[in-house]
Amino acid sequence: MPAALHMPEPELIDHAGLDSVVYLRIYLTGLKIFVPIACLAFTVMVPVNWTNRTLEQSELTYSDIDKLSISNIPTGSNRFWTHLVMAYTFTFWTCYILKREYEIIASMRLRFIASEQRRPDQFTVLVRNVPPDPDETVNELVEHFFLVNHPDHYLSHQVVYNANSLSNLVNEKKTKQNWLDYYQLKYNRNSQSKRPSMKTGYLGLWGKSVDAIDYYESEIERLSKEICKEREKITTSSKYVMPAAFVSFKTRWGAAVCAQTEQSRNPTIWLTEWAPEPRDVYWDNLAIPFVSLTIRRLIIAVAFFFLTFFFMIPIAFVQSLANIDGIVKAAPFMQGILDVDFVKSVIQGVLPGIALKIFLIILPSILMMMSKFEGFTSISSLERRSATRYYIFQFINVFLGSIITGTAFQQLNNFIHQSANTIPMTIGASIPMKATFFITYIMVDGWAGVAGEILRLKPLIFYHLKNFFLVKTEKDREEATNPGSLSFSTCEPQIQLYFLLGLVYAVVTPILLPFIVVFFGLAYVVYRHQIINVYNQQYESAGAFWPDVHGRIITALIVSQLLLMGLLSTKEAAQSTPLLIVLPVLTIWFHRFCKGRFEPAFVRYPLQEAMMKDTLERAREPCLNVKDYLEKAYAHPVFTNENKWDGSDDGVSDEEWPKEPTLVATKRSSRTNTPARSQRSESKRSLLHVTDERSCP
């Protein structure tokens, strides 16, 4: 841990990539926002709330935590002006930190791109929805179109094939080869001369008994022939060619112009976008016709709506467990057990948080399947879309669902049937009562989750299960011990939930803030260690996800302002409530300012930067042959090396990467911004690293 904290940020970028550093800055942003807010809230808000006797004089059931919240202030009190002033202060401080971080990360991104080594995606554009032509093939049509419209910069192109069936055959061959290696090892290690046998039925449980080695050798031979036939069929038949292509240009400037401009008077054809880097390409979705993408996304939008809404049913059930009176009414025989203080504490405090966490375990897999069905063409875009949906899901079900359904199912029914203008009041009145639940949720999900991350208990269990049931060869063992990469699609939305809780409860129940601060501090230390010493980086997007992070924090800020407005409405603070209307307006204006000022650096490549990089490259390597460099960068993996590709290896051994001196010793070697092997492509080192040592002719 100390060594991980001592690694300077520039070396961390070289070691693990800019994506990892920007991800860590999310935790730093949380600390920068909530540490001053917590200090100010405990100095000002807690004494204002604590010195009232409203709850003591009422007949309501309350706890000591409630006495520190806004619930302890009498209706119509002038003390609500304190909460109003603090709401403005917290908003301005949060916006200041967000602007500063956005500016820093935008500068880091541009500096990283300018100093980064040559990559194929800097010269390449993905062209989709190529219009059909009765006289020309897609291959000829793409070449002619770009020769005419980009005559000075067009270099080459690679059409996209529907090679999913061929990919399945290659993967099947890989599996059969693995079984053959296993039985050959078993036979060689066995001192007896008897050859291993197996049954040809499902999972080897029934069927005809045959010689295992001969069976798999024949299967591999059969698959090899099928692969050759399928490859030939794909490359010779036009029906396997998709109306899309990877088009490469002679310069980064030419690629930037093409990727960021409209190519035709018809805006629905010749659609261009930056190509993902080769290891970020999700090849399976390139075979989806462009016209079907809109229909697919409509289907997923409807499915996600129903998934989000109906998930509130188990959430409501979990929250009803925390109501002791409801349990006794439904099951009177449990009266004696529930009277025990320890049992009552577990049911009210720990059980709802644990049950909610269990419900959320399977959710990321479902959301990722939805994103893949939508047809996104890169792993990074799949993760960003999945992260967006995961955050929406957690906001509606974990946050709003836990508040609304906090006591019984009847509250959900009332919420659905009440008028829209009373919804903020209902939610606002419920917020202080749920502070205890969210404190326990932060400890169960946040603190325990960070502890589980450093222990890596789940991967350890999975490794032993794989080792016992699935590992047959050394290659299986390598795959079982692969630590994987940081799951942005699940980790980032979980962080955003803590931003939401902290901003909502900063004014309402400040006692929750120290729990938030402890979470951000622990998570920063742990994930910095994990990124340096454990995880491999699957792709590099140069921090392209930061606008999403910024937008979600802004959303949390606006939600906190609206809910505080509803809460003060229930407290009859008629004089102070209207002044809160200004806050959402100012926050939205601030978001639009940041979007216009900083977001272009994350969605576009400045032509000035592209020209500078091209000029420097021509000065340093005047004889660079870009065409050779890009020749096979975007060829489908199954066409580049049939015998070698297995869907997980990029063909680059760790020894091939240059060894650089490091300031801080780590347990995992740096791989020059690409420490992880590609999961989908077969890009050679020459395609990802500057290695042109040829002399001029």
Side-chain angles (χ1 to χ4, degrees), residues 65 89 91 223 266 310 321 441 457 493 495 499 521 617:
I65 290 179
T89 304
T91 297
L223 287 171
N266 183 352
F310 285 110
L321 292 178
Y441 181 81
L457 190 60
I495 305 172
F499 275 102
E617 189 172 70

Side-chain angles (χ1 to χ4, degrees), residues 20 153 400 493 531:
S20 300
H153 300 283
L400 293 183
I531 284 172

Side-chain angles (χ1 to χ4, degrees), residues 358-375:
I358 293 174
F359 279 132
L360 293 175
I361 287 178
I362 62 172
L363 178 64
S365 300
I366 297 174
L367 296 179
M368 182 56 72
M369 289 173 58
M370 287 183 169
S371 299
K372 290 179 179 178
F373 182 79
E374 282 187 283

Side-chain angles (χ1 to χ4, degrees), residues 408-552:
F409 290 101
Q410 287 79 8
Q411 286 195 7
L412 177 60
N413 184 61
N414 294 336
F415 177 74
I416 294 174
H417 291 92
Q418 64 185 319
S419 60
N421 58 350
T422 61
I423 291 176
M425 296 183 183
T426 302
I427 299 176
S430 303
I431 287 175
M433 297 190 301
K434 299 304 298 179
T436 304
F437 166 75
F438 284 119
I439 288 174
T440 57
Y441 181 81
I442 291 169
M443 290 190 289
V444 171
D445 181 78
W447 295 7
V450 171
E453 173 62 34
I454 197 65
L455 285 174
R456 290 185 60 79
L457 190 60
K458 177 181 172 182
L460 179 65
I461 295 173
F462 279 12
Y463 163 73
H464 284 292
L465 290 175
K466 290 179 181 178
N467 192 37
F468 187 78
F469 293 106
L470 302 177
V471 171
K472 303 176 292 296
T473 63
E474 285 301 317
K475 187 168 186 60
D476 286 339
R477 192 178 303 279
E478 288 180 10
E479 293 179 358
T481 55
N482 180 19
S485 60
L486 191 67
S487 180
F488 175 81
S489 60
T490 56
C491 293
E492 192 271 339
Q494 288 176 337
I495 305 172
Q496 296 300 327
L497 180 63
Y498 297 110
F499 275 102
L500 176 64
L501 293 177
L503 291 172
V504 167
Y505 280 95
V507 179
V508 177
T509 310
I511 192 64
L512 185 133
L513 290 175
F515 296 89
I516 296 284
V517 170
V518 170
F519 164 76
F520 278 115
L522 287 176
Y524 174 75
V525 173
V526 168
Y527 277 100
R528 187 178 176 93
H529 173 273
Q530 301 296 87
I531 284 172
I532 291 174
N533 292 314
V534 178
Y535 288 123
N536 291 322
Q537 190 181 4
Q538 191 175 7
Y539 58 83
E540 177 61 69
S541 67
F545 56 83
W546 183 258
D548 296 335
V549 175
H550 175 88
R552 285 194 265 274

